[in-house]
């Protein structure tokens, strides 16, 4: 009975969060353009500090994705622990979302380094 309640709450949560995944791609472009406007006029040190902060976040996300990959591999090696594949598929969805976030962070890191290099050349 306890597992049925857990699974039902999990499925309801997945259904409630589904629109956020669908709408995330539309708002990400708006977010990137507003983010670039906010960072105009930053100094070299500001860009380097932001890049270092983002690198820390990226490393954290990368370790979470790696951990999820290990858990997915565990369920694929031992499918009797997850016979319907619910946990494995949910972890794959979370891993793909985190991977997208990691790619976005890496683009921001590269942009900050390019802006810092450009500012160095302008001096």
């Amino acid at each position: 009975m306890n597992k049925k309640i857990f699974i039902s709450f999990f499925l309801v949560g997945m259904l409630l969060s589904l629109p956020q995944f669908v709408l995330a791609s539309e708002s990400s472009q708006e977010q990137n353009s507003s983010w670039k406007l906010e960072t105009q006029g930053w100094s070299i040190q500001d860009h380097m500090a932001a890049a270092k902060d983002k690198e820390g976040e990226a490393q954290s996300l990368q370790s979470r994705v790696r951990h999820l990959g290990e858990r997915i591999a565990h369920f694929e090696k031992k499918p009797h622990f997850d016979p319907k594949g619910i946990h494995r598929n949910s972890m794959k969805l979370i891993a793909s979302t985190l991977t997208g976030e990691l790619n976005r962070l890496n683009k921001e890191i590269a942009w900050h380094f390019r802006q810092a290099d450009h500012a160095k050349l302008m001096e």
Side-chain angles (χ1 to χ4, degrees):
M1 182 69 178
N2 191 15
K3 288 183 181 181
K4 289 181 182 180
I5 293 172
F6 174 75
I7 290 173
S8 64
F9 279 118
F10 177 75
L11 291 176
V12 168
M14 291 293 289
L15 289 175
L16 292 175
S17 64
L18 185 63
Q20 294 173 359
F21 288 119
V22 173
L23 298 175
S25 62
E26 297 173 3
S27 65
S28 65
Q29 291 178 350
E30 296 171 6
Q31 215 173 16
N32 284 338
S33 63
S34 65
W35 168 74
K36 287 182 180 179
L37 286 174
E38 288 176 11
T39 57
Q40 286 182 349
W42 282 17
S43 68
I44 297 170
Q45 293 81 14
D46 293 337
H47 282 293
M48 294 301 284
K52 295 297 180 188
D53 289 342
K54 299 284 182 189
E55 281 180 339
E57 290 179 41
Q59 287 176 352
S60 172
L61 275 178
Q62 192 172 19
S63 68
R64 289 175 62 190
V65 169
R66 189 177 321 117
H67 176 69
L68 280 172
E70 291 169 0
R71 298 272 304 159
I72 291 168
H74 171 74
F75 281 123
E76 287 176 350
K77 287 179 186 175
K78 298 181 179 181
H80 55 277
F81 286 139
D82 188 23
K84 293 185 179 179
I86 295 172
H87 295 289
R88 183 178 64 233
N89 289 333
S90 64
M91 282 189 256
K92 284 182 181 180
L93 180 63
I94 293 169
S96 68
T97 304
L98 290 178
T99 302
E101 182 70 17
L102 181 62
N103 290 337
R104 187 188 61 78
L105 276 174
N106 284 333
K107 286 178 185 176
E108 287 183 18
I109 291 168
W111 185 83
H112 278 295
F113 281 130
R114 281 195 308 269
Q115 292 300 314
D117 289 341
H118 182 68
K120 285 179 188 176
L121 292 174
M122 297 303 285
E123 286 183 344

